[in-house]
Amino acid sequence: MTPPTVKLSTLKTACKNCKLHQLCLPLGLENNDMDQLDNIIKRAKPYQKGEYLFQHGDNFDALYAVRSGSVKTFSQDDNGDEQITGFYLAGEMMGLDAVHEGFHPCSALALETTSVCKIPFTHLEELSAKLPSLQHQLLRIMSKEITEDQALLILLGQKSAEERVAAYLVNMADRMEKRGFSSVEFNLSMSRKDIGNYLGLTIETISRTFSHLQQDGLINSQRKHIEILNTEKLRAIAGLPKISCGLKSTG
Amino acid sequence: MTPPTVKLSTLKTACKNCKLHQLCLPLGLENNDMDQLDNIIKRAKPYQKGEYLFQHGDNFDALYAVRSGSVKTFSQDDNGDEQITGFYLAGEMMGLDAVHEGFHPCSALALETTSVCKIPFTHLEELSAKLPSLQHQLLRIMSKEITEDQALLILLGQKSAEERVAAYLVNMADRMEKRGFSSVEFNLSMSRKDIGNYLGLTIETISRTFSHLQQDGLINSQRKHIEILNTEKLRAIAGLPKISCGLKSTG
DNA sequence: CGTCCCCTTGATGAGGGTCAATGGGCGTGG
DNA sequence: CCACGCCCATTGACCCTCATCAAGGGGACG
């Protein structure tokens, strides 16, 4: 049998076939609701490392969900000071901050070859009005973004360099695990400089802290490649409960 | 514990009569749509200074909009480290971060006598599905919260103590002006300690910075009472252009 | 094989945290 | 009405963490 000619339409990755749909916008949707969502989503060719998905000031017309690869978003103030506001992995949504003013207040740059789903926002709003669980999930995702920004605020406002770096590594490990990768051995797609900027530290401090954690036998870091040797101690430094500890106060 | 509701007749403030509706959730709604929103909103008796609107871990069932007074929200990590994530003035909405997990990840405390509108969330979702402009405004408000958190991230990640304090004062001044108060003379409802925590600084640094700005003739501060003597220089220190264009929030 | 960029490591110093003492408002109670 | 005590704010002295400046190593890629 000769293989049929390849049609892009058939290769399209539908939400219901996408391994990410438990992490992404379609969470909680019925199958045929997912089809409706599929119909408005655009899947374009991948971005190469260093390409912008959108830039600060661009008109806002769509949300972006990472399908594979990774992206950093960063905002700039009027002095040109740059602050990375997030690193986005598969299943995570970008552009939520642009709804308010109708243009993107931050820029998004691919950290490696990255493919995305582009979700035109007016269509999404229309569809959300028809599908309660889609509306709910959209609100949940926005809420999650707020929660995560606030977690970062605690890091930047209250924590030492070592605590920030530990929290960062634990966070990355957890997210890797959610995506089916190893939580104790992975590659960081972002540079030390990016990590430093994200955590409010300099590149030198990041480097020294990595070295220090390595000397203490908590991690093994070879440039981008990270091995976590002692998850429990790392979580402790990060100020997070040990996984099995039920002693935290619930107010 | 929430204060009991009192007779509507005494407190009846419909959205369409509320001076805040250009800053708040009803923005963009037709008059009779506003009536529908009114029907689901609960207006309870005011909270006294030091009372909690909700606490970390509480079940999430409603959003809160400040009608008068002011509120601080703060989250706690497992070490008990506290980070104030926002100060909320009239027309501003709290609880958006709770949608994600279904409980409040932060606590909200009245900084002075404060009255609020309580908006049951499931009702709001139902109504949003029927009123496109309500849905849109809800999404915009969530988006605004994200944008503001990210502005704070830049402050905490990149700015010196003096820049942070200046930016804080400019921000408060702008918000006062939007609410019809003077932008050059106002009272801060929060303590130095709260400001310090919010900005990632100690109370001593806040106090010293205020004194320094006063010596330079930029402000006049008598405890809670603030006079801004040189808006332009203050904006310059804050890293903002002369007239606000980065952080302007039109609701 | 050379160049560039990223990362690492060391030396030094400053910004802001920490500790300590004092003063001023304000509420409470005599 | 005044006195007391508490809390908040201010100010000073000292110190520590992390930024800054500087130099050098090691991959990646042409």
Side-chain angles (χ1 to χ4, degrees):
Chain A
M1 299 250 328
T2 49
T5 47
V6 174
K7 287 186 211 157
L8 273 182
S9 54
T10 60
L11 284 182
K12 244 168 79 165
T13 315
C15 285
K16 59 181 160 192
N17 302 326
C18 179
K19 279 177 293 187
L20 298 166
H21 74 253
Q22 287 305 318
L23 293 172
C24 194
L25 192 56
L27 175 64
L29 259 59
E30 305 286 334
N31 253 3
N32 54 353
D33 291 351
M34 239 185 256
D35 288 338
Q36 291 193 61
L37 180 57
D38 262 327
N39 286 336
I40 69 170
I41 289 180
K42 292 174 180 162
R43 299 183 175 84
K45 79 165 202 279
Y47 294 86
Q48 295 305 307
K49 175 175 178 169
E51 281 184 348
Y52 283 97
L53 281 68
F54 51 81
Q55 287 195 53
H56 168 256
D58 283 359
N59 225 36
F60 167 64
D61 53 4
L63 299 175
Y64 292 76
V66 177
R67 214 138 46 86
S68 68
S70 56
V71 176
K72 70 171 175 182
T73 57
F74 54 97
S75 50
Q76 263 171 313
D77 70 3
D78 306 278
N79 287 343
D81 279 350
E82 212 171 282
Q83 171 73 35
I84 293 176
T85 50
F87 299 109
Y88 292 81
L89 307 182
E92 294 173 338
M93 189 89 65
M94 292 166 291
L96 300 168
D97 51 354
V99 175
H100 178 235
E101 296 280 15
F103 58 82
H104 288 283
C106 69
S107 306
L109 190 73
L111 291 170
E112 58 193 311
T113 305
T114 296
S115 59
V116 301
C117 295
K118 194 172 170 180
I119 311 162
F121 188 66
T122 47
H123 289 169
L124 180 60
E125 279 191 300
E126 287 161 17
L127 193 56
S128 291
K130 285 189 275 182
L131 307 177
S133 51
L134 179 61
Q135 187 194 47
H136 186 69
Q137 179 62 3
L138 178 56
L139 290 169
R140 282 192 69 220
I141 286 175
M142 297 201 80
S143 178
K144 185 179 172 214
E145 181 83 25
I146 295 171
T147 309
E148 287 169 354
D149 285 346
Q150 292 181 351
L152 187 50
L153 287 177
I154 293 195
L155 271 196
L156 298 192
Q158 313 291 341
K159 301 297 189 180
S160 70
E162 193 176 43
E163 290 170 324
R164 295 185 205 189
V165 171
Y168 179 75
L169 290 174
V170 168
N171 177 260
M172 287 305 296
D174 287 349
R175 286 155 77 190
M176 286 297 170
E177 189 164 35
K178 276 213 188 71
R179 282 157 187 80
F181 301 113
S182 167
S183 68
V184 295
E185 188 175 359
F186 48 84
N187 284 300
L188 297 173
S189 57
M190 64 294 295
S191 68
R192 298 284 191 272
K193 193 175 162 190
D194 284 341
I195 299 173
N197 180 291
Y198 179 66
L199 296 176
L201 300 167
T202 58
I203 178 175
E204 293 94 331
T205 300
I206 300 296
S207 191
R208 272 186 263 267
T209 307
F210 272 50
S211 298
H212 186 222
L213 291 174
Q214 182 150 5
Q215 278 160 32
D216 289 358
L218 301 190
I219 66 170
N220 211 329
S221 85
Q222 283 302 31
R223 308 213 140 218
K224 308 271 189 204
H225 187 78
I226 300 288
E227 258 181 286
I228 295 183
L229 304 176
N230 191 331
T231 302
E232 204 151 308
K233 272 194 186 169
L234 205 61
R235 297 189 86 89
I237 293 175
L240 295 167
K242 292 165 210 157
I243 292 176
S244 57
C245 172
L247 275 180
K248 49 176 188 169
S249 66
T250 47
Chain B
M1 46 191 80
T2 51
T5 48
V6 299
K7 286 179 224 158
L8 274 180
S9 52
T10 57
L11 284 178
K12 172 130 183 167
T13 313
C15 285
K16 57 182 162 191
N17 303 326
C18 178
K19 280 179 292 189
L20 297 166
H21 73 255
Q22 287 306 316
L23 293 171
C24 194
L25 192 57
L27 174 63
L29 259 59
E30 306 286 333
N31 253 3
N32 53 354
D33 291 351
M34 239 183 257
D35 288 338
Q36 292 194 60
L37 180 58
D38 262 327
N39 286 335
I40 68 170
I41 289 181
K42 292 174 182 164
R43 299 183 177 86
K45 85 160 200 272
Y47 294 86
Q48 295 305 308
K49 175 176 179 171
E51 281 183 346
Y52 284 96
L53 281 69
F54 51 80
Q55 288 195 54
H56 167 258
D58 282 358
N59 226 34
F60 167 64
D61 55 4
L63 299 176
Y64 293 75
V66 177
R67 215 138 46 84
S68 68
S70 54
V71 177
K72 72 171 175 181
T73 56
F74 55 97
S75 49
Q76 261 172 314
D77 70 3
D78 306 278
N79 286 345
D81 280 350
E82 210 171 283
Q83 171 73 34
I84 293 176
T85 50
F87 298 110
Y88 292 81
L89 307 182
E92 295 173 337
M93 189 90 64
M94 291 165 291
L96 300 168
D97 51 354
V99 175
H100 179 235
E101 297 279 14
F103 57 83
H104 288 282
C106 68
S107 306
L109 190 73
L111 291 170
E112 57 193 313
T113 304
T114 297
S115 60
V116 303
C117 294
K118 192 171 169 180
I119 311 162
F121 188 66
T122 48
H123 289 168
L124 180 60
E125 278 190 300
E126 287 162 18
L127 192 57
S128 290
K130 284 190 274 181
L131 306 178
S133 52
L134 179 61
Q135 186 193 46
H136 187 69
Q137 181 61 5
L138 178 56
L139 291 169
R140 282 191 69 221
I141 286 176
M142 298 202 80
S143 177
K144 185 183 171 208
E145 181 83 25
I146 295 171
T147 310
E148 287 170 351
D149 284 346
Q150 292 180 350
L152 187 51
L153 287 177
I154 292 195
L155 271 198
L156 298 192
Q158 312 291 339
K159 302 298 190 179
S160 71
E162 192 175 44
E163 290 170 324
R164 295 184 203 189
V165 171
Y168 178 76
L169 290 173
V170 168
N171 178 258
M172 288 305 295
D174 287 351
R175 285 156 78 190
M176 287 297 170
E177 188 164 36
K178 277 214 187 69
R179 283 158 184 79
F181 302 112
S182 167
S183 67
V184 294
E185 189 175 358
F186 48 85
N187 284 301
L188 296 174
S189 57
M190 64 294 296
S191 68
R192 298 283 191 272
K193 191 174 163 191
D194 284 342
I195 300 174
N197 180 291
Y198 180 65
L199 296 176
L201 300 168
T202 59
I203 179 175
E204 294 95 332
T205 300
I206 299 295
S207 191
R208 273 186 263 268
T209 307
F210 271 51
S211 299
H212 186 220
L213 291 173
Q214 182 151 3
Q215 278 160 33
D216 290 359
L218 301 190
I219 66 171
N220 211 330
S221 84
Q222 284 305 22
R223 308 213 138 219
K224 308 270 190 206
H225 188 79
I226 300 288
E227 256 182 287
I228 295 183
L229 304 176
N230 191 331
T231 302
E232 204 152 310
K233 272 193 186 169
L234 205 61
R235 299 191 86 88
I237 292 174
L240 296 166
K242 290 169 192 170
I243 301 294
S244 98
C245 96
L247 275 177
K248 108 170 100 179
S249 47
T250 43

